[in-house]
Amino acid sequence: ASVREHISAEYGDNYLPPKPNRFRSPRGAQAAHEAIRPTDVRRTPAKMRPYLDERQYKLYDLIWRRFVASQMAPARFNKTDVRIDAGPGEFLARGSVMIFDGFTRLGSRPGSNDQVLPDLSEGDALNLKELNPTQHFTQPPPRYTEASLVKELEKQGIGRPSTYAPTIRTLMARNYVKREARALKPTDLGIVVTDLLVEHFPREMDIAFTSHLEEELDEVEE
């Protein structure tokens, strides 16, 4: 209630959705930690600045902005797809223009690959400025990074936020994987151990078994 009052007073009713935004927590999320919320929305980052050092201020600013933005109206965009006929070839261009900034007013806009297109009308003649022929080959899936591995564990329902970091540390400590650039590359030892485990313990090594065990543990807890 207090954040809705703040949004209406500070940014106007256009930024206030008709009902509070509600978000479903992903399965297994441990979302009860009160340190991720401001104690009072009126304690803005600007007001708290004199009492915080630089690192504390940046963290509080991030938490406060995300908290307020989560209860603001969505941003709106005009999205345009353009088909360009050029002889036997056909080219596609996709772009967008923001018509209302919504929650992104607090600097929370997610990354977008959309480009800004000029005003175009059907039948316009376009001049070719440059043609860059390129060839693309199918690439194998990239190796996991720590971030993408955690994302996959979340997707498969394996582990909990508190177990992700220890899991990766164990893989590194036992020399099952090594870090190359940002990627995690399995070592010869890791490959041999995995092959042996899959061969002799197929039930326990099945992803579905692990995630189902997590669900059963949750039932025990409840």
Side-chain angles (χ1 to χ4, degrees), residues 115-149:
Q115 57 186 337
V116 178
L117 296 174
D119 290 332
L120 296 169
S121 300
E122 189 171 352
D124 282 353
L126 305 180
N127 295 321
L128 175 64
K129 289 186 175 181
E130 190 178 2
L131 182 65
N132 296 314
T134 58
Q135 188 173 13
H136 297 276
F137 296 94
T138 302
Q139 298 292 324
R143 293 194 185 278
Y144 285 116
T145 63
E146 290 189 21
S148 63
L149 180 58

mmCIF file of all heavy atoms in Angstrom, residues 115-149:
data_model
loop_
_atom_site.group_PDB
_atom_site.id
_atom_site.type_symbol
_atom_site.label_atom_id
_atom_site.label_comp_id
_atom_site.label_asym_id
_atom_site.label_seq_id
_atom_site.Cartn_x
_atom_site.Cartn_y
_atom_site.Cartn_z
ATOM 1 N N GLN A 115 16.212 -2.566 -32.713
ATOM 2 C CA GLN A 115 16.792 -1.316 -33.183
ATOM 3 C C GLN A 115 15.671 -0.315 -33.444
ATOM 4 O O GLN A 115 14.512 -0.687 -33.577
ATOM 5 C CB GLN A 115 17.583 -1.560 -34.469
ATOM 6 C CG GLN A 115 16.763 -2.176 -35.593
ATOM 7 C CD GLN A 115 17.599 -2.530 -36.797
ATOM 8 O OE1 GLN A 115 18.646 -1.970 -36.993
ATOM 9 N NE2 GLN A 115 17.120 -3.465 -37.593
ATOM 10 N N VAL A 116 16.043 0.964 -33.509
ATOM 11 C CA VAL A 116 15.069 2.008 -33.821
ATOM 12 C C VAL A 116 15.000 2.158 -35.334
ATOM 13 O O VAL A 116 16.016 2.358 -35.994
ATOM 14 C CB VAL A 116 15.467 3.343 -33.157
ATOM 15 C CG1 VAL A 116 14.474 4.430 -33.533
ATOM 16 C CG2 VAL A 116 15.533 3.193 -31.649
ATOM 17 N N LEU A 117 13.798 2.046 -35.879
ATOM 18 C CA LEU A 117 13.606 2.143 -37.327
ATOM 19 C C LEU A 117 13.113 3.541 -37.696
ATOM 20 O O LEU A 117 12.414 4.189 -36.923
ATOM 21 C CB LEU A 117 12.584 1.109 -37.794
ATOM 22 C CG LEU A 117 12.968 -0.366 -37.614
ATOM 23 C CD1 LEU A 117 11.792 -1.261 -37.983
ATOM 24 C CD2 LEU A 117 14.170 -0.717 -38.458
ATOM 25 N N PRO A 118 13.458 4.001 -38.893
ATOM 26 C CA PRO A 118 12.917 5.295 -39.358
ATOM 27 C C PRO A 118 11.446 5.146 -39.742
ATOM 28 O O PRO A 118 10.913 4.044 -39.811
ATOM 29 C CB PRO A 118 13.784 5.606 -40.590
ATOM 30 C CG PRO A 118 14.197 4.256 -41.105
ATOM 31 C CD PRO A 118 14.359 3.381 -39.885
ATOM 32 N N ASP A 119 10.783 6.271 -39.977
ATOM 33 C CA ASP A 119 9.397 6.224 -40.447
ATOM 34 C C ASP A 119 9.355 5.615 -41.840
ATOM 35 O O ASP A 119 10.043 6.079 -42.762
ATOM 36 C CB ASP A 119 8.798 7.639 -40.481
ATOM 37 C CG ASP A 119 8.569 8.202 -39.086
ATOM 38 O OD1 ASP A 119 8.350 7.385 -38.174
ATOM 39 O OD2 ASP A 119 8.616 9.429 -38.921
ATOM 40 N N LEU A 120 8.564 4.574 -41.997
ATOM 41 C CA LEU A 120 8.463 3.883 -43.280
ATOM 42 C C LEU A 120 7.003 3.698 -43.636
ATOM 43 O O LEU A 120 6.156 3.548 -42.761
ATOM 44 C CB LEU A 120 9.151 2.510 -43.210
ATOM 45 C CG LEU A 120 10.664 2.499 -42.961
ATOM 46 C CD1 LEU A 120 11.128 1.078 -42.645
ATOM 47 C CD2 LEU A 120 11.405 3.036 -44.182
ATOM 48 N N SER A 121 6.733 3.726 -44.928
ATOM 49 C CA SER A 121 5.387 3.450 -45.417
ATOM 50 C C SER A 121 5.460 2.337 -46.442
ATOM 51 O O SER A 121 6.487 2.151 -47.117
ATOM 52 C CB SER A 121 4.762 4.702 -46.063
ATOM 53 O OG SER A 121 4.676 5.758 -45.120
ATOM 54 N N GLU A 122 4.363 1.599 -46.588
ATOM 55 C CA GLU A 122 4.341 0.502 -47.547
ATOM 56 C C GLU A 122 4.577 1.039 -48.958
ATOM 57 O O GLU A 122 3.996 2.046 -49.364
ATOM 58 C CB GLU A 122 2.991 -0.220 -47.476
ATOM 59 C CG GLU A 122 2.964 -1.504 -48.284
ATOM 60 C CD GLU A 122 1.708 -2.317 -48.023
ATOM 61 O OE1 GLU A 122 0.949 -1.964 -47.111
ATOM 62 O OE2 GLU A 122 1.509 -3.309 -48.749
ATOM 63 N N GLY A 123 5.491 0.382 -49.682
ATOM 64 C CA GLY A 123 5.787 0.787 -51.054
ATOM 65 C C GLY A 123 6.945 1.755 -51.175
ATOM 66 O O GLY A 123 7.335 2.118 -52.291
ATOM 67 N N ASP A 124 7.527 2.203 -50.043
ATOM 68 C CA ASP A 124 8.681 3.100 -50.116
ATOM 69 C C ASP A 124 9.829 2.420 -50.856
ATOM 70 O O ASP A 124 10.078 1.226 -50.695
ATOM 71 C CB ASP A 124 9.169 3.478 -48.713
ATOM 72 C CG ASP A 124 8.287 4.534 -48.068
ATOM 73 O OD1 ASP A 124 7.393 5.052 -48.759
ATOM 74 O OD2 ASP A 124 8.486 4.826 -46.872
ATOM 75 N N ALA A 125 10.537 3.212 -51.694
ATOM 76 C CA ALA A 125 11.751 2.713 -52.357
ATOM 77 C C ALA A 125 12.944 3.002 -51.464
ATOM 78 O O ALA A 125 13.118 4.117 -50.978
ATOM 79 C CB ALA A 125 11.918 3.396 -53.719
ATOM 80 N N LEU A 126 13.752 1.997 -51.225
ATOM 81 C CA LEU A 126 14.910 2.149 -50.350
ATOM 82 C C LEU A 126 16.184 2.074 -51.166
ATOM 83 O O LEU A 126 16.278 1.332 -52.133
ATOM 84 C CB LEU A 126 14.923 1.050 -49.284
ATOM 85 C CG LEU A 126 13.657 0.926 -48.428
ATOM 86 C CD1 LEU A 126 13.811 -0.211 -47.423
ATOM 87 C CD2 LEU A 126 13.360 2.236 -47.705
ATOM 88 N N ASN A 127 17.179 2.863 -50.774
ATOM 89 C CA ASN A 127 18.483 2.856 -51.449
ATOM 90 C C ASN A 127 19.428 1.901 -50.724
ATOM 91 O O ASN A 127 19.549 1.940 -49.501
ATOM 92 C CB ASN A 127 19.084 4.267 -51.466
ATOM 93 C CG ASN A 127 18.247 5.227 -52.291
ATOM 94 O OD1 ASN A 127 17.721 4.861 -53.337
ATOM 95 N ND2 ASN A 127 18.108 6.460 -51.808
ATOM 96 N N LEU A 128 20.114 1.063 -51.490
ATOM 97 C CA LEU A 128 21.108 0.157 -50.910
ATOM 98 C C LEU A 128 22.383 0.940 -50.621
ATOM 99 O O LEU A 128 23.009 1.483 -51.519
ATOM 100 C CB LEU A 128 21.397 -0.995 -51.883
ATOM 101 C CG LEU A 128 22.512 -1.958 -51.459
ATOM 102 C CD1 LEU A 128 22.128 -2.691 -50.188
ATOM 103 C CD2 LEU A 128 22.831 -2.942 -52.577
ATOM 104 N N LYS A 129 22.752 0.985 -49.362
ATOM 105 C CA LYS A 129 23.987 1.663 -48.985
ATOM 106 C C LYS A 129 25.161 0.695 -48.965
ATOM 107 O O LYS A 129 26.278 1.036 -49.349
ATOM 108 C CB LYS A 129 23.834 2.306 -47.599
ATOM 109 C CG LYS A 129 22.919 3.516 -47.573
ATOM 110 C CD LYS A 129 22.950 4.151 -46.186
ATOM 111 C CE LYS A 129 22.128 5.438 -46.162
ATOM 112 N NZ LYS A 129 22.164 6.070 -44.823
ATOM 113 N N GLU A 130 24.932 -0.523 -48.482
ATOM 114 C CA GLU A 130 26.023 -1.464 -48.327
ATOM 115 C C GLU A 130 25.446 -2.872 -48.256
ATOM 116 O O GLU A 130 24.355 -3.083 -47.727
ATOM 117 C CB GLU A 130 26.793 -1.156 -47.029
ATOM 118 C CG GLU A 130 28.096 -1.921 -46.877
ATOM 119 C CD GLU A 130 28.826 -1.520 -45.596
ATOM 120 O OE1 GLU A 130 28.285 -0.685 -44.841
ATOM 121 O OE2 GLU A 130 29.913 -2.050 -45.355
ATOM 122 N N LEU A 131 26.180 -3.840 -48.803
ATOM 123 C CA LEU A 131 25.765 -5.233 -48.755
ATOM 124 C C LEU A 131 26.902 -6.056 -48.177
ATOM 125 O O LEU A 131 28.020 -6.033 -48.689
ATOM 126 C CB LEU A 131 25.408 -5.743 -50.165
ATOM 127 C CG LEU A 131 24.901 -7.186 -50.252
ATOM 128 C CD1 LEU A 131 23.567 -7.323 -49.538
ATOM 129 C CD2 LEU A 131 24.760 -7.616 -51.707
ATOM 130 N N ASN A 132 26.631 -6.752 -47.078
ATOM 131 C CA ASN A 132 27.656 -7.552 -46.410
ATOM 132 C C ASN A 132 27.250 -9.026 -46.424
ATOM 133 O O ASN A 132 26.474 -9.462 -45.572
ATOM 134 C CB ASN A 132 27.835 -7.100 -44.948
ATOM 135 C CG ASN A 132 28.345 -5.673 -44.863
ATOM 136 O OD1 ASN A 132 29.277 -5.290 -45.567
ATOM 137 N ND2 ASN A 132 27.722 -4.875 -44.001
ATOM 138 N N PRO A 133 27.750 -9.801 -47.394
ATOM 139 C CA PRO A 133 27.424 -11.231 -47.396
ATOM 140 C C PRO A 133 28.198 -11.950 -46.287
ATOM 141 O O PRO A 133 29.405 -11.785 -46.150
ATOM 142 C CB PRO A 133 27.880 -11.696 -48.783
ATOM 143 C CG PRO A 133 28.936 -10.720 -49.187
ATOM 144 C CD PRO A 133 28.604 -9.407 -48.533
ATOM 145 N N THR A 134 27.487 -12.709 -45.465
ATOM 146 C CA THR A 134 28.132 -13.464 -44.395
ATOM 147 C C THR A 134 27.630 -14.897 -44.436
ATOM 148 O O THR A 134 26.538 -15.174 -44.932
ATOM 149 C CB THR A 134 27.830 -12.871 -43.007
ATOM 150 O OG1 THR A 134 26.416 -12.855 -42.806
ATOM 151 C CG2 THR A 134 28.366 -11.449 -42.880
ATOM 152 N N GLN A 135 28.438 -15.806 -43.900
ATOM 153 C CA GLN A 135 28.088 -17.218 -43.871
ATOM 154 C C GLN A 135 28.125 -17.695 -42.420
ATOM 155 O O GLN A 135 29.055 -17.376 -41.672
ATOM 156 C CB GLN A 135 29.080 -18.020 -44.714
ATOM 157 C CG GLN A 135 28.687 -19.477 -44.912
ATOM 158 C CD GLN A 135 29.623 -20.172 -45.903
ATOM 159 O OE1 GLN A 135 30.674 -19.639 -46.247
ATOM 160 N NE2 GLN A 135 29.230 -21.346 -46.358
ATOM 161 N N HIS A 136 27.105 -18.427 -42.017
ATOM 162 C CA HIS A 136 27.016 -18.907 -40.646
ATOM 163 C C HIS A 136 26.973 -20.427 -40.631
ATOM 164 O O HIS A 136 26.325 -21.047 -41.458
ATOM 165 C CB HIS A 136 25.756 -18.359 -39.951
ATOM 166 C CG HIS A 136 25.753 -16.874 -39.818
ATOM 167 N ND1 HIS A 136 26.379 -16.223 -38.782
ATOM 168 C CD2 HIS A 136 25.213 -15.903 -40.594
ATOM 169 C CE1 HIS A 136 26.219 -14.922 -38.917
ATOM 170 N NE2 HIS A 136 25.508 -14.703 -40.019
ATOM 171 N N PHE A 137 27.678 -21.011 -39.677
ATOM 172 C CA PHE A 137 27.684 -22.455 -39.519
ATOM 173 C C PHE A 137 27.056 -22.809 -38.171
ATOM 174 O O PHE A 137 27.171 -22.063 -37.201
ATOM 175 C CB PHE A 137 29.124 -22.992 -39.570
ATOM 176 C CG PHE A 137 29.796 -22.782 -40.906
ATOM 177 C CD1 PHE A 137 30.581 -21.662 -41.123
ATOM 178 C CD2 PHE A 137 29.629 -23.687 -41.933
ATOM 179 C CE1 PHE A 137 31.197 -21.455 -42.349
ATOM 180 C CE2 PHE A 137 30.240 -23.491 -43.162
ATOM 181 C CZ PHE A 137 31.026 -22.378 -43.371
ATOM 182 N N THR A 138 26.406 -23.951 -38.122
ATOM 183 C CA THR A 138 25.820 -24.418 -36.876
ATOM 184 C C THR A 138 26.926 -24.674 -35.860
ATOM 185 O O THR A 138 27.909 -25.347 -36.151
ATOM 186 C CB THR A 138 25.021 -25.710 -37.112
ATOM 187 O OG1 THR A 138 24.012 -25.462 -38.086
ATOM 188 C CG2 THR A 138 24.374 -26.188 -35.815
ATOM 189 N N GLN A 139 26.744 -24.096 -34.675
ATOM 190 C CA GLN A 139 27.737 -24.227 -33.624
ATOM 191 C C GLN A 139 27.245 -25.223 -32.573
ATOM 192 O O GLN A 139 26.043 -25.321 -32.321
ATOM 193 C CB GLN A 139 28.000 -22.871 -32.951
ATOM 194 C CG GLN A 139 28.565 -21.819 -33.887
ATOM 195 C CD GLN A 139 29.983 -22.154 -34.334
ATOM 196 O OE1 GLN A 139 30.772 -22.696 -33.559
ATOM 197 N NE2 GLN A 139 30.290 -21.856 -35.581
ATOM 198 N N PRO A 140 28.151 -25.967 -31.946
ATOM 199 C CA PRO A 140 27.721 -26.829 -30.846
ATOM 200 C C PRO A 140 27.242 -25.977 -29.678
ATOM 201 O O PRO A 140 27.601 -24.803 -29.582
ATOM 202 C CB PRO A 140 28.999 -27.605 -30.488
ATOM 203 C CG PRO A 140 30.117 -26.724 -30.937
ATOM 204 C CD PRO A 140 29.615 -26.017 -32.149
ATOM 205 N N PRO A 141 26.425 -26.544 -28.796
ATOM 206 C CA PRO A 141 25.981 -25.758 -27.623
ATOM 207 C C PRO A 141 27.185 -25.264 -26.833
ATOM 208 O O PRO A 141 28.176 -25.988 -26.692
ATOM 209 C CB PRO A 141 25.170 -26.777 -26.811
ATOM 210 C CG PRO A 141 24.793 -27.849 -27.771
ATOM 211 C CD PRO A 141 25.894 -27.911 -28.782
ATOM 212 N N PRO A 142 27.145 -24.041 -26.349
ATOM 213 C CA PRO A 142 28.288 -23.524 -25.576
ATOM 214 C C PRO A 142 28.432 -24.272 -24.259
ATOM 215 O O PRO A 142 27.464 -24.810 -23.716
ATOM 216 C CB PRO A 142 27.913 -22.057 -25.343
ATOM 217 C CG PRO A 142 26.422 -22.025 -25.414
ATOM 218 C CD PRO A 142 26.040 -23.067 -26.417
ATOM 219 N N ARG A 143 29.644 -24.301 -23.733
ATOM 220 C CA ARG A 143 29.857 -24.914 -22.425
ATOM 221 C C ARG A 143 29.169 -24.075 -21.354
ATOM 222 O O ARG A 143 28.973 -22.867 -21.503
ATOM 223 C CB ARG A 143 31.366 -25.001 -22.127
ATOM 224 C CG ARG A 143 32.118 -25.953 -23.042
ATOM 225 C CD ARG A 143 33.503 -26.232 -22.471
ATOM 226 N NE ARG A 143 34.300 -27.054 -23.381
ATOM 227 C CZ ARG A 143 34.211 -28.382 -23.467
ATOM 228 N NH1 ARG A 143 33.340 -29.020 -22.695
ATOM 229 N NH2 ARG A 143 34.969 -29.052 -24.306
ATOM 230 N N TYR A 144 28.822 -24.733 -20.263
ATOM 231 C CA TYR A 144 28.206 -24.015 -19.156
ATOM 232 C C TYR A 144 29.193 -23.031 -18.537
ATOM 233 O O TYR A 144 30.382 -23.328 -18.414
ATOM 234 C CB TYR A 144 27.760 -24.986 -18.058
ATOM 235 C CG TYR A 144 26.515 -25.772 -18.392
ATOM 236 C CD1 TYR A 144 26.562 -27.145 -18.530
ATOM 237 C CD2 TYR A 144 25.288 -25.135 -18.548
ATOM 238 C CE1 TYR A 144 25.420 -27.875 -18.826
ATOM 239 C CE2 TYR A 144 24.143 -25.848 -18.842
ATOM 240 C CZ TYR A 144 24.214 -27.221 -18.983
ATOM 241 O OH TYR A 144 23.082 -27.929 -19.273
ATOM 242 N N THR A 145 28.685 -21.876 -18.179
ATOM 243 C CA THR A 145 29.378 -20.996 -17.243
ATOM 244 C C THR A 145 28.745 -21.237 -15.873
ATOM 245 O O THR A 145 27.755 -21.970 -15.761
ATOM 246 C CB THR A 145 29.214 -19.525 -17.631
ATOM 247 O OG1 THR A 145 27.813 -19.176 -17.554
ATOM 248 C CG2 THR A 145 29.713 -19.270 -19.055
ATOM 249 N N GLU A 146 29.303 -20.627 -14.838
ATOM 250 C CA GLU A 146 28.688 -20.788 -13.516
ATOM 251 C C GLU A 146 27.244 -20.294 -13.537
ATOM 252 O O GLU A 146 26.348 -20.927 -12.982
ATOM 253 C CB GLU A 146 29.502 -20.046 -12.457
ATOM 254 C CG GLU A 146 30.851 -20.684 -12.162
ATOM 255 C CD GLU A 146 31.544 -20.054 -10.965
ATOM 256 O OE1 GLU A 146 30.847 -19.436 -10.148
ATOM 257 O OE2 GLU A 146 32.779 -20.185 -10.855
ATOM 258 N N ALA A 147 27.010 -19.157 -14.213
ATOM 259 C CA ALA A 147 25.662 -18.575 -14.252
ATOM 260 C C ALA A 147 24.700 -19.474 -15.018
ATOM 261 O O ALA A 147 23.577 -19.725 -14.568
ATOM 262 C CB ALA A 147 25.711 -17.187 -14.881
ATOM 263 N N SER A 148 25.113 -19.971 -16.191
ATOM 264 C CA SER A 148 24.204 -20.805 -16.986
ATOM 265 C C SER A 148 23.982 -22.165 -16.335
ATOM 266 O O SER A 148 22.920 -22.770 -16.488
ATOM 267 C CB SER A 148 24.728 -20.966 -18.417
ATOM 268 O OG SER A 148 25.968 -21.639 -18.446
ATOM 269 N N LEU A 149 24.979 -22.659 -15.591
ATOM 270 C CA LEU A 149 24.802 -23.923 -14.871
ATOM 271 C C LEU A 149 23.767 -23.764 -13.764
ATOM 272 O O LEU A 149 22.886 -24.620 -13.586
ATOM 273 C CB LEU A 149 26.140 -24.393 -14.290
ATOM 274 C CG LEU A 149 26.100 -25.712 -13.505
ATOM 275 C CD1 LEU A 149 25.569 -26.839 -14.359
ATOM 276 C CD2 LEU A 149 27.493 -26.056 -12.972
#
